[in-house]
Amino acid sequence: MLRLNCEISIYHVPEGSTSVEKIIIRNVHSVKIKGDGDTLADTCEIEMPKRTLWIRENNCPIHRGDKVEIYLGYNDIKEKRFVGWVKDVTAGIPTIIKCEDDVFVLRSTTIKKKLYTNTTINKIIEDILPAGIRVKFGGEMKIASWRTTATTVAGEIEELAESFPIKAFFALDDDGEPTLFVHTVMTDGRRNAGTFEEAKNIISHNLEYRRAEDVKIRIKGVSRQTNGKTIEYSEGDGQEITKNYYNLTMEELKAMVKKEIKAEKWSGLNGTFETFGRPMVRKGDTVDLKIEGTQKARYVVKGVTVSFGTGGYRQELETSRKIYYYE
């Protein structure tokens, strides 16, 4: 029988001290970790058991800004699932510790206004990131000019992601270290987390099979020009999705919009499914998925919600697109 295993380390520096106190928590009511490839930050909530001594004494040793590391697993095998910082501790019973990944640091790091010319997005992000933040780039995009206008590093990265065709998010890398991933080109050479099959390791699902010919979508392409102006082109019939580009001609923009429409029209499973806590899956991974009545295929995981506690250890995975069919 599998036994749930949890270890949470919280590092606190008491006021007026330079020494670090390490608080270890092995007994929780629940842990919920949420990550989505469309958002910059992953979040976590830890709900403590009501019988926790410092809850009863109203003397919580955990404070905003404390560092957090969370390991979850079964029996004696634990895997690192979250690294971040305490964002808030709600008083009362139960006590809930709310955490955020390294975006917490980026939200509190201010930047100066600066004009960049003939540069790259990679260069801008490297310039504004505080020391100690790991970053991994996928591709590089040259831009003629950019003026930083946001107050914080997090705000500036979000503005870059809104203005250019890039994805930026934090996730644990293969070494388990929190890393800012910035992709101008999302490759398909991603980590494969394993195979998930109905009636084997899929607990429940709301996956629906969609046919490419039934997908109704409208792509609105917006290209920011070097002079600050924009040009737009839309095509398709259905739900509108906006895609941002940089310094494209109208003909190039039309070609990109047509390419995006083709990429969105795929046949396969769409939705979410729930599985056990192992094998561990991270956002951006691929999974091989087999549901009764459909062909086995490989999909990209867009979002992962981890639940741990009295209800067991579960992962809810959201697929974003199919990239490969098995013959």
Side-chain angles (χ1 to χ4, degrees):
M1 181 177 178
L2 294 177
R3 171 176 51 84
L4 294 180
N5 195 342
C6 166
E7 183 172 309
I8 301 173
S9 297
I10 299 180
Y11 302 87
H12 174 67
V13 179
E15 187 175 353
S17 173
T18 57
S19 61
V20 179
E21 293 181 355
K22 183 178 180 180
I23 302 165
I24 298 179
I25 299 171
R26 293 190 175 93
N27 187 18
V28 297
H29 178 74
S30 66
V31 175
K32 187 170 185 178
I33 304 166
K34 186 173 179 59
D36 188 317
D38 286 341
T39 59
L40 189 58
D42 282 8
T43 60
C44 173
E45 287 193 3
I46 305 164
E47 182 176 330
M48 297 299 298
K50 294 180 180 178
R51 63 181 180 273
T52 304
L53 180 63
W54 47 262
I55 290 179
R56 297 201 305 268
E57 295 179 351
N58 195 26
N59 185 28
C60 181
I62 299 167
H63 302 81
R64 176 180 170 86
D66 291 350
K67 188 171 182 178
V68 181
E69 292 182 348
I70 298 177
Y71 291 79
L72 303 175
Y74 298 104
N75 297 334
D76 295 324
I77 300 175
K78 301 185 296 291
E79 296 170 303
K80 188 186 289 186
R81 295 300 316 235
F82 182 83
V83 177
W85 307 84
V86 174
K87 189 175 181 180
D88 184 45
V89 180
T90 60
I93 300 177
T95 291
I96 298 175
I97 305 166
K98 297 181 179 180
C99 310
E100 189 175 54
D101 62 16
D102 274 351
V103 173
F104 178 85
V105 177
L106 303 191
R107 293 192 200 281
S108 58
T109 304
T110 59
I111 58 174
K112 296 179 180 179
K113 304 295 186 289
K114 181 177 178 179
L115 174 64
Y116 289 85
T117 58
N118 298 319
T119 188
T120 66
I121 289 178
N122 296 13
K123 170 62 176 173
I124 296 171
I125 290 178
E126 285 175 338
D127 279 356
I128 64 177
L129 281 181
I133 300 294
R134 295 163 63 112
V135 61
K136 183 176 181 180
F137 295 104
E140 187 172 52
M141 175 174 289
K142 295 181 180 180
I143 56 177
S145 65
W146 178 260
R147 184 184 296 276
T148 56
T149 58
T151 304
T152 66
V153 175
E156 195 63 37
I157 293 175
E158 288 171 340
E159 287 193 10
L160 285 166
E162 289 176 0
S163 301
F164 301 101
I166 68 169
K167 288 279 188 181
F169 56 84
F170 271 97
L172 299 183
D173 65 11
D174 292 338
D175 297 322
E177 296 298 324
T179 303
L180 175 64
F181 289 87
V182 182
H183 292 277
T184 53
V185 178
M186 296 292 283
T187 67
D188 289 333
R190 312 178 191 203
R191 170 182 177 268
N192 183 258
T195 299
F196 297 87
E197 297 187 45
E198 192 171 22
K200 289 188 176 181
N201 57 354
I202 292 179
I203 300 169
S204 63
H205 74 84
N206 66 355
L207 296 163
E208 294 183 354
Y209 188 85
R210 64 179 219 174
R211 299 185 305 166
E213 55 268 32
D214 294 335
V215 177
K216 302 299 181 183
I217 194 166
R218 181 177 179 83
I219 300 293
K220 177 183 177 181
V222 180
S223 177
R224 176 190 172 99
Q225 307 303 100
T226 57
N227 60 7
K229 296 182 179 180
T230 60
I231 59 174
E232 299 181 4
Y233 175 74
S234 298
E235 186 173 316
D237 182 20
Q239 178 186 0
E240 184 174 270
I241 297 177
T242 299
K243 299 286 185 177
N244 294 308
Y245 305 97
Y246 179 70
N247 200 31
L248 299 184
T249 66
M250 181 56 75
E251 289 305 311
E252 290 171 334
L253 183 59
K254 289 180 179 180
M256 288 301 297
V257 168
K258 293 179 185 296
K259 182 180 178 180
E260 291 287 354
I261 291 176
K262 185 177 179 181
E264 292 287 345
K265 286 181 172 289
W266 49 268
S267 297
L269 296 164
N270 189 47
T272 63
F273 65 96
E274 185 181 45
T275 184
F276 301 101
R278 190 182 298 154
M280 180 177 69
V281 184
R282 300 174 298 200
K283 61 184 181 184
D285 285 351
T286 64
V287 294
D288 296 332
L289 190 56
K290 180 68 173 72
I291 299 297
E292 186 176 351
T294 67
Q295 188 176 7
K296 184 179 179 181
R298 179 163 292 183
Y299 296 83
V300 176
V301 176
K302 173 179 176 288
V304 180
T305 298
V306 177
S307 300
F308 180 96
T310 55
Y313 183 16
R314 303 286 188 266
Q315 300 174 103
E316 183 182 78
L317 311 179
E318 180 181 1
T319 63
S320 64
R321 64 185 178 96
K322 176 184 67 63
I323 59 175
Y324 179 73
Y325 261 137
Y326 288 90
E327 299 298 334

